[in-house]
Amino acid sequence: MSSGQNRADIIPGVQVKIVLKADQRSGKLTEGIVKDILTKSSFHPHGIKVRLTDGQVGRVKEINR
């Protein structure tokens, strides 16, 4: 399981755990399938921002392989 800091590790259709903006303080993770990758840079220290298939947006904390 890798952290979601490298854009190359994340592809649409992969299952991930993200932290939503509203959950950043608590660190609560939300599980889902990546629909779109929103971060343009190849690396982000807080996690690559993605949109899940259900429309939620957050930063990837874990990639489920």
Side-chain angles (χ1 to χ4, degrees):
M1 191 160 36
S2 61
S3 70
Q5 296 179 324
N6 292 309
R7 194 172 190 271
D9 294 343
I10 302 165
I11 51 171
V14 75
Q15 186 165 13
V16 295
K17 289 183 181 171
I18 64 168
V19 63
L20 302 172
K21 184 83 174 162
D23 295 333
Q24 280 179 342
R25 288 193 178 191
S26 67
K28 179 177 161 286
L29 296 178
T30 303
E31 212 164 334
I33 308 290
V34 175
K35 182 182 178 195
D36 302 308
I37 301 171
L38 304 177
T39 300
K40 296 287 180 233
S41 62
S42 62
F43 176 84
H44 194 286
H46 300 298
I48 299 298
K49 191 178 277 189
V50 298
R51 180 180 295 116
L52 301 180
T53 52
D54 63 5
Q56 296 186 93
V57 174
R59 294 199 180 273
V60 176
K61 294 299 175 190
E62 293 176 16
I63 303 168
N64 299 345
R65 297 233 182 258

